Amino acid sequence: MSLANANRHSELSRRLLEQANYELHTQGDRVQASDKASGAVAQAVKAIAEDRNWRHGSHNLRREIVGLIASEFDLPDLVNLQGIADQLHENYYEDRMSDVLVAYLLGQISQRIESLWIVREKGPDPDFIPSPDQLRIINRLLVPEEVARADESMDFPPPMPPFNPPAG
């Protein structure tokens, strides 16, 4: 993980957003626009993760990262941004959304993604105190990739408590 990789992800994020708008508004290709827009968000998150030496190689890891960043900077809308990116990512595979809906969601990403770019420029908030659950996530993100690959359960949440409903 390096600054060069983080910068590459950041630049790719900006490029993919531009490509998404081109694909939809010039080429009329909602499927490619969906892919590029969701990729723009993923690359912005990867840039932040690279800066922090966090693993970011899956959708679930990036969702966890977005949740952490949203809490750290009190930007709950970042979770919505990730949700929009997830919808567009699904549309890339399914092509079920109309051009109108893809255009709307792409517009939402265009309006919100700058928050991720700004967060990256700010760097970690030195006053942020993660909760114990957030600290557990951060510690999992810091585990080297080869260690995480050796333990499939590494990236699962902790086990659920027993389910013992009251009788009656």
Side-chain angles (χ1 to χ4, degrees):
M1 299 197 181
S2 69
L3 179 59
N5 283 343
N7 289 338
R8 182 177 170 278
H9 289 300
S10 185
E11 291 166 13
L12 189 52
S13 172
R14 295 168 198 278
R15 176 187 169 139
L16 288 171
L17 183 62
E18 188 176 330
Q19 282 185 276
N21 280 290
Y22 174 81
E23 292 291 349
L24 186 64
H25 301 298
T26 304
Q27 299 296 320
D29 191 334
R30 68 181 169 269
V31 172
Q32 285 300 314
S34 296
D35 186 41
K36 302 300 187 268
S38 66
V41 173
Q43 293 296 327
V45 173
K46 285 170 157 287
I48 293 167
E50 280 284 328
D51 286 338
R52 295 170 183 228
N53 293 312
W54 289 350
R55 291 180 302 115
H56 52 78
S58 73
H59 295 289
N60 285 334
L61 290 176
R62 290 190 297 275
R63 286 183 195 104
E64 295 280 11
I65 291 166
V66 168
L68 288 168
I69 298 301
S71 292
E72 180 178 342
F73 290 94
D74 194 26
L75 294 170
D77 197 44
L78 291 180
V79 175
N80 296 329
L81 173 63
Q82 181 62 53
I84 293 166
D86 288 344
Q87 290 177 57
L88 287 171
H89 182 70
E90 181 179 345
N91 192 59
Y92 170 70
Y93 292 103
E94 303 300 329
D95 188 24
R96 302 284 180 153
M97 291 182 185
S98 68
D99 293 358
V100 172
L101 182 55
V102 171
Y104 174 76
L105 295 175
L106 174 54
Q108 292 297 302
I109 285 181
S110 296
Q111 290 173 11
R112 299 171 186 206
I113 196 168
E114 190 167 343
S115 295
L116 283 173
W117 297 337
I118 290 169
V119 160
R120 177 171 183 242
E121 293 301 317
K122 286 182 179 180
D125 178 354
D127 297 324
F128 177 63
I129 300 171
S131 71
D133 286 339
Q134 291 169 328
L135 191 55
R136 185 182 61 76
I137 294 167
I138 291 168
N139 288 334
R140 280 187 9 236
L141 293 171
L142 288 168
V143 169
E145 192 64 47
E146 58 276 4
V147 173
R149 272 194 300 268
D151 180 359
E152 289 181 1
S153 68
M154 171 80 52
D155 292 322
F156 286 112
M160 296 290 291
F163 180 66
N164 297 313

